[in-house]
Amino acid sequence: MAALGAGRAAAAGLLRAQSLGVWRGLHVPPALQQMPQAKSEHAKAEGTFQVTMLPGDGVGPELMHAVKEVFKAANVPVVFDEHHLSEVQNMASEEKLDEVVDSMKESKVAIIGKIHTPMEYKGELASYDMRLRRKLDLFANVVHVKSLPGYQTRHNNLDLVIIREQTEGEYSSLEHESVRGVIESLKIITRAKSQRIAKFAFDYATKKGRSKVTAVHKANIMKLGDGLFLQCCRDVAELYPKIKFDTIIIDNCCMQLVQNPYQFDVLVMPNLYGNIVDNLAAGLVGGAGVVPGESYSSEYAVFEMGARHPFAQAVGRNIANPTAMLLSATNMLRHLNLEFHSNVISDAVKKVIKGGKVRTRDLGGYSTTSDFVKSVIDSLHPHYGA
């Protein structure tokens, strides 16, 4: 017991040391804060910021077109370095993946659509989407689930955050057939990555003025794997006495989110649970079309839809809701310290939704993607395009 106590004390000491270094900032990742001044000065001299863009699959290209149109109307000083990476469109290769990574090394920021992962096994278990996230070490996925004023759902005035570890867990791509007819899929949970995502969640709560962090797990069944994750969360929680800490089993969490989501503030969880809960929570406020998301490493920031769905059945029909991608784009602008442009666009989007006259089909209306984009632009400049 003495040895165990000493080990925990050492771990706590290590976490305290980390809190003074790598995790000093959050919304702007520390590595981005520490970027060479020459690059920042170059961006200011040119008057623009370079952002990597991956349109992705399904309606992704249409949504990115919407972002470009709105950015153009708002005179946003951003230049997109566009790349196409798609397994379903035969536009995926190691060369293309490396090109995207090289672009990210230059820009540090990206906006991406959903890169669809085919279910067929073709000799490689890890999808290009997963490989990209691993190459960039995008360990923290953040989805802010917030009700939109003017759009009524069963639960209104929701405001909760889901933080998901997305570099290990069930998505480790480690599967094999041990004997004929028996497949083993390995779920990897490590102390280092569990501590890292827990630290990120508590830092996020501190920075954003939130009062509670809930760790979501299944440690009653996966006693070692989820048990380790849960213990790491508890150890980190001790370093944040002002933040209330709670735990909940994943299946109960899903039920509670549907029955009484107001009890939650910030939720932190392993990979698969986060994927499921992201989509469930998005459904509480209007669906995949209205919830933005973002992913962070210590060096990069990627902005995307909170509930990743290609919506392939809507391709070319001009019916996709661009709200989530536009709000994600405004979060990206805030990350780049373009507060004015971010606020102007996000206010315009919310004004259109609150007005209730222009709504896409997923929100019960009959408006097209183009109608929605035009209304947003009209809210920016009433005579734009007239």
Side-chain angles (χ1 to χ4, degrees):
M1 292 297 293
L4 180 60
R8 288 184 180 175
L14 175 60
L15 288 169
R16 289 192 182 92
Q18 289 177 340
S19 69
L20 296 176
V22 174
W23 302 114
R24 190 182 301 274
L26 176 73
H27 192 66
V28 180
L32 194 54
Q33 295 175 345
Q34 298 168 9
M35 284 168 52
Q37 288 298 311
K39 178 173 176 58
S40 177
E41 292 170 1
H42 173 73
K44 289 181 180 179
E46 294 295 327
T48 60
F49 293 85
Q50 178 177 310
V51 170
T52 302
M53 174 180 278
L54 282 174
D57 297 309
V59 296
E62 297 173 48
L63 299 179
M64 291 302 178
H65 178 70
V67 170
K68 291 177 185 176
E69 287 293 301
V70 173
F71 273 31
K72 179 181 178 182
N75 295 315
V76 176
V78 163
V79 174
F80 292 114
D81 180 22
E82 191 168 335
H83 295 265
H84 295 274
L85 187 67
S86 170
E87 294 185 61
V88 297
Q89 300 178 52
N90 294 318
M91 290 190 293
S93 65
E94 283 300 321
E95 182 181 2
K96 287 184 178 295
L97 185 60
D98 289 341
E99 288 175 358
V100 174
V101 172
D102 288 342
S103 176
M104 282 294 298
K105 288 179 179 178
E106 178 71 18
S107 66
K108 306 296 184 184
V109 180
I111 184 167
I112 68 174
K114 168 61 178 173
I115 302 172
H116 184 60
T117 302
M119 281 189 272
E120 298 81 10
Y121 174 56
K122 298 180 180 179
E124 177 60 60
L125 291 170
S127 68
Y128 276 88
D129 182 41
M130 292 166 61
R131 288 155 73 180
L132 175 62
R133 293 175 191 277
R134 288 177 190 168
K135 279 180 176 284
L136 300 176
D137 193 27
L138 295 169
F139 69 92
N141 177 240
V142 180
V143 176
H144 187 182
V145 180
K146 188 172 184 178
S147 298
L148 293 170
Y151 182 69
Q152 299 295 309
T153 60
R154 181 178 295 274
H155 301 291
N156 296 303
N157 301 314
L158 282 183
D159 186 357
L160 58 94
V161 177
I162 300 160
I163 296 178
R164 163 192 177 191
E165 204 295 322
Q166 62 176 3
T167 59
E168 58 176 11
E170 297 84 354
Y171 292 19
S172 299
S173 303
L174 296 173
E175 296 183 293
H176 64 275
E177 187 172 23
S178 53
V179 297
R180 186 176 179 82
V182 178
I183 301 296
E184 295 181 354
S185 298
L186 303 183
K187 170 178 176 173
I188 307 299
I189 298 289
T190 62
R191 183 180 302 278
K193 291 189 175 182
S194 296
Q195 288 177 340
R196 181 169 68 167
I197 195 65
K199 188 73 172 62
F200 183 97
F202 277 92
D203 278 350
Y204 184 100
T206 301
K207 181 170 173 46
K208 300 295 183 179
R210 292 186 172 263
S211 59
K212 183 171 78 168
V213 172
T214 302
V216 182
H217 66 94
K218 192 65 177 174
N220 58 324
I221 301 299
M222 285 168 276
K223 301 180 189 300
L224 298 181
D226 279 25
L228 175 60
F229 175 83
L230 185 57
Q231 186 58 55
C232 288
C233 289
R234 284 175 172 154
D235 290 343
V236 172
E238 293 179 0
L239 304 176
Y240 296 81
K242 294 183 180 180
I243 303 293
K244 183 180 178 181
F245 176 64
D246 197 6
T247 68
I248 190 169
I249 295 173
I250 177 61
D251 37 343
N252 186 31
C253 177
C254 292
M255 180 179 70
Q256 295 297 328
L257 277 168
V258 173
Q259 289 187 326
N260 178 26
Y262 302 101
Q263 65 187 284
F264 298 111
D265 192 356
V266 175
L267 300 97
V268 60
M269 60 201 76
N271 209 334
L272 177 61
Y273 310 155
N275 195 357
I276 295 169
V277 172
D278 282 347
N279 285 266
L280 187 156
L284 298 177
V285 295
V290 300
V291 179
E294 51 215 60
S295 294
Y296 294 103
S297 71
S298 61
E299 190 172 3
Y300 306 108
V302 171
F303 297 84
E304 56 196 334
M305 295 177 68
R308 302 168 195 163
H309 197 292
F311 201 17
Q313 64 269 34
V315 173
R317 296 172 60 192
N318 196 27
I319 62 173
N321 188 344
T323 300
M325 194 61 78
L326 288 172
L327 291 179
S328 182
T330 65
N331 290 339
M332 178 190 75
L333 295 179
R334 191 168 293 111
H335 173 85
L336 293 171
N337 292 320
L338 294 171
E339 292 279 349
F340 172 78
H341 295 88
S342 173
N343 292 335
V344 164
I345 295 174
S346 63
D347 288 348
V349 171
K350 293 171 184 176
K351 180 181 178 181
V352 171
I353 292 176
K354 188 174 183 178
K357 294 181 179 180
V358 180
R359 283 185 177 167
T360 48
R361 293 187 186 184
D362 59 318
L363 297 184
Y366 298 94
S367 301
T368 64
T369 308
S370 301
D371 292 335
F372 190 93
V373 171
K374 183 180 184 305
S375 294
V376 171
I377 291 174
D378 286 345
S379 294
L380 295 170
H381 307 293
H383 303 293
Y384 180 84

